[in-house]
């Protein structure tokens, strides 16, 4: 079997059996097609450890980050393990493949004061009654108030919201469902949007949609629109141009821990499968604590 055909079958397995998100499947496919290009289109059974090492070496030479190399090595191990289980190959060439450990970078986080000022500004704009201003305020309040992913936000339907309890039912990675709280400011922003903004946007569409967050033409909003909104509003207050909705998720988690939230509770809210993923936010909190100590303590 040629490598490209095997990759297509593997991608189908990831989507239908392991139920990974389309974005994750796309990343696996991209990594493995890069392997095929590096290997020169050889058959699947011709890929050995040296081919894999050459692949990662070429990636190093073109300047790929250590995190990218680590991800691609993990992709190869997952793919060839699957291929061996399917009896497509006799031996797994990735068993001895070693990639550099990816460095851990701390996430970009906005301060509490900066977030408060930003959301106050958006609320004031929304009070003018423009449907998109109402929507944008609701989006940022909900992303920050709940810590949900952009895909989870875009996938929300009206029936997923419980405005009385201030909770939302979201479908996360691996099609895992969870219920997250979002607080009274987000509830107020959502109520204003659903009452005064969403009906105007619905009227612009010829088809019915149950989506909570709508685009300017009345259809379900796409991730790109949310990315552009967050980049426009958040970049000036964090000092970087490359910013997206995940920064609000990072900020929500960090502020929860700064406020004394239990790490496992934050894990449940964020929908992390592993506690280790959530623990990165403790480093952000510790760095802030250390910085404050050094500035304020006479013996620091």
């Amino acid at each position: 079997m040629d490598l490209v055909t095997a990759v297509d079958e593997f991608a189908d397995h990831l989507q239908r059996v392991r139920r990974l998100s389309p974005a994750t499947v796309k990343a696996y496919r991209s990594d493995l097609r890069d392997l095929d290009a590096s290997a020169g289109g050889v058959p699947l059974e011709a890929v050995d450890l040296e081919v894999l090492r050459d692949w990662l070496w070429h990636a190093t030479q073109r300047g790929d980050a250590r995190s990218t190399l680590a991800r691609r090595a993990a992709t190869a191990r997952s793919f060839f393990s699957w291929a061996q289980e399917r009896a497509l190959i006799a031996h797994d060439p990735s068993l001895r493949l070693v990639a550099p450990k990816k460095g851990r970078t701390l996430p970009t986080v906005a301060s509490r004061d900066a977030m408060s000022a930003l959301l106050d500004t958006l609320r004031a704009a929304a009070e003018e009654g423009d449907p998109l201003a109402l929507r944008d305020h609701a989006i940022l309040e909900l992303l920050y108030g709940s810590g949900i992913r952009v895909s989870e936000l875009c996938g929300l339907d009206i029936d997923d919201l419980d405005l009385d309890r201030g909770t939302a039912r979201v479908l996360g990675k691996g099609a895992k469902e969870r219920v997250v709280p979002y607080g009274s400011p987000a509830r107020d922003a959502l109520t204003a949007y659903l009452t005064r903004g969403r009906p105007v946007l619905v009227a612009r569409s010829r088809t019915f949609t149950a989506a909570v967050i709508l685009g300017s033409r009345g259809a379900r909003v796409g991730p790109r629109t949310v990315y552009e909104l967050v980049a426009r509003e958040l970049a000036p207050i964090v000092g970087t141009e490359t910013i997206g909705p995940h920064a609000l998720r990072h900020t929500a988690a960090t502020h929860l821990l700064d406020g004394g939230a239990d790490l496992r509770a934050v894990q449940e809210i964020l929908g992390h499968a592993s506690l280790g993923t959530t623990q990165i936010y403790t480093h952000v909190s510790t760095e802030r604590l250390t910085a404050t100590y050094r500035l304020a303590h006479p013996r620091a």
Side-chain angles (χ1 to χ4, degrees):
M1 177 181 289
D2 64 90
L3 186 54
V4 172
T5 301
V7 168
D8 289 340
E9 290 189 10
F10 178 59
D12 185 64
H13 165 79
L14 294 177
Q15 188 169 4
R16 298 179 59 185
V17 178
R18 292 181 56 185
R19 300 179 71 183
L20 300 184
S21 71
T24 302
V25 174
K26 183 179 179 181
Y28 272 99
R29 190 191 295 272
S30 175
D31 286 344
L32 292 169
R33 286 188 171 172
D34 188 74
L35 168 61
D36 179 61
S38 174
V42 300
L44 175 63
E45 58 269 20
V47 179
D48 57 16
L49 181 59
E50 289 307 312
V51 171
L52 294 177
R53 284 174 173 169
D54 284 344
W55 172 47
L56 294 185
W57 182 82
H58 284 299
T60 303
Q61 294 304 299
R62 68 176 178 238
D64 286 6
R66 286 194 302 169
S67 58
T68 302
L69 298 177
R71 188 198 70 219
R72 287 188 167 169
T75 295
R77 284 191 286 270
S78 181
F79 170 68
F80 285 104
S81 174
W82 166 84
Q84 187 178 35
E85 288 177 3
R86 290 284 305 274
L88 299 178
I89 54 176
H91 304 286
D92 183 348
S94 68
L95 290 177
R96 293 169 54 204
L97 182 65
V98 178
K101 292 183 178 179
K102 61 181 181 180
R104 172 163 283 189
T105 56
L106 296 179
T108 301
V109 172
S111 69
R112 288 190 180 193
D113 290 344
M115 283 305 306
S116 179
L118 171 61
L119 293 171
D120 285 347
T121 300
L122 291 174
R123 183 177 64 251
E127 288 174 355
E128 299 295 325
D130 179 77
L132 293 181
L134 287 160
R135 181 204 65 182
D136 293 350
H137 180 219
I139 287 175
L140 266 76
E141 285 282 10
L142 189 54
L143 286 173
Y144 174 56
S146 65
I148 59 176
R149 302 176 178 93
V150 63
S151 59
E152 295 167 347
L153 171 84
C154 295
L156 278 175
D157 288 337
I158 294 295
D159 290 343
D160 294 326
L161 295 179
D162 188 331
L163 292 173
D164 292 332
R165 295 183 178 181
T167 60
R169 183 177 65 246
V170 298
L171 196 64
K173 289 186 175 180
K176 294 180 180 178
E177 187 179 281
R178 70 185 191 283
V179 175
V180 294
Y182 49 73
S184 56
R187 178 174 57 194
D188 293 343
L190 278 169
T191 300
Y193 161 67
L194 293 173
T195 303
R196 298 188 288 134
R198 187 177 181 277
V200 177
L201 298 178
V202 167
R204 298 177 183 177
S205 175
R206 296 180 179 179
T207 59
F208 171 78
T209 177
V212 173
I213 308 297
L214 303 180
S216 58
R217 297 182 180 180
R220 184 183 297 273
V221 77
R224 177 173 293 183
T225 299
V226 182
Y227 269 88
E228 290 173 350
L229 166 65
V230 173
R232 183 175 70 247
E233 300 295 344
L234 205 61
I237 69 174
V238 297
T240 178
E241 295 181 0
T242 55
I243 200 76
H246 226 66
L248 288 174
R249 183 169 161 86
H250 295 322
T251 300
T254 303
H255 291 177
L256 278 167
L257 289 170
D258 285 345
D262 178 76
L263 189 63
R264 289 200 176 275
V266 177
Q267 178 191 6
E268 290 293 325
I269 291 171
L270 297 181
H272 286 158
S274 168
L275 189 63
T277 307
T278 316
Q279 283 177 328
I280 189 172
Y281 300 111
T282 64
H283 296 289
V284 179
S285 297
T286 302
E287 274 208 345
R288 287 184 170 185
L289 185 64
T290 302
T292 301
Y293 174 82
R294 288 174 175 168
L295 285 171
H297 199 286
R299 293 290 199 185

